[in-house]
Amino acid sequence: MEMAGVIASWASCYQPNRKIGAVIVKNKRIMTTGYNGAPAGVKTCVERGECLRRKLDIPSGTRQEVCYAIHAEQNAIIQAARLGVSIEGATLYCTHQPCGVCAKMIINAGITRVVYHEGYPDEFARELLAEAGVALERYEE
């Protein structure tokens, strides 16, 4: 979880409380990492000097597609695909509970356990993970 926090510090989100980090671990080895940020070749919110979601007054936990950034969990999964790294049966450590879109990707990537530190207002994501048999655990220090 400490590593997820370090990775989160690399995020290019304009909001300081929305820096998210993810680490995918399998057999006690770090497979990939991800943080929230704009896709390659796209200006980040920091470079733009504003948060699009705040500008449009979009509430947290809704309309995740309206954002320049890709979520940390998504970036970690995409990185595994790009590198040809199998993450089936892995654990994903994340600074925040995944959203519904990330939950779907986690399920289809074959990740079997998610450990998160901070909550996120997305009950649907929790339901999806539970139905798919993905263990969801809140990290307590």
Side-chain angles (χ1 to χ4, degrees), residues 49-83:
E50 67 181 0
C51 172
L52 178 62
R53 294 180 58 77
R54 296 293 179 263
K55 179 180 174 182
L56 299 175
D57 198 30
I58 299 171
S60 181
T62 66
R63 301 191 59 207
Q64 290 93 345
E65 75 281 1
V66 183
C67 181
Y68 292 109
I70 297 172
H71 289 186
E73 304 94 322
Q74 295 169 4
N75 269 326
I77 291 167
I78 291 165
Q79 194 67 273
R82 286 188 66 162
L83 297 173

Side-chain angles (χ1 to χ4, degrees), residues 5-118:
V6 170
I7 301 300
S9 72
W10 303 345
S12 59
C13 185
Y14 194 70
Q15 298 297 318
N17 64 333
R18 283 289 162 219
K19 292 187 180 290
I20 315 295
V23 179
I24 299 177
V25 176
K26 185 175 177 181
N27 299 324
K28 299 183 181 183
R29 297 187 186 276
I30 294 173
M31 306 309 285
T32 62
T33 63
Y35 55 88
N36 57 326
V42 175
K43 284 185 183 177
T44 69
C45 296
V46 171
E47 292 169 328
R48 294 171 190 276
E50 67 181 0
C51 172
L52 178 62
R53 294 180 58 77
R54 296 293 179 263
K55 179 180 174 182
L56 299 175
D57 198 30
I58 299 171
S60 181
T62 66
R63 301 191 59 207
Q64 290 93 345
E65 75 281 1
V66 183
C67 181
Y68 292 109
I70 297 172
H71 289 186
E73 304 94 322
Q74 295 169 4
N75 269 326
I77 291 167
I78 291 165
Q79 194 67 273
R82 286 188 66 162
L83 297 173
V85 173
S86 173
I87 54 175
E88 188 167 356
T91 296
L92 184 143
Y93 292 89
C94 195
T95 56
H96 292 68
Q97 177 201 308
C99 72
V101 174
C102 289
K104 293 173 195 176
M105 291 181 68
I106 288 164
I107 292 163
N108 277 0
I111 293 169
T112 57
R113 180 174 170 241
V114 175
V115 180
Y116 69 95
H117 189 262
E118 299 292 328

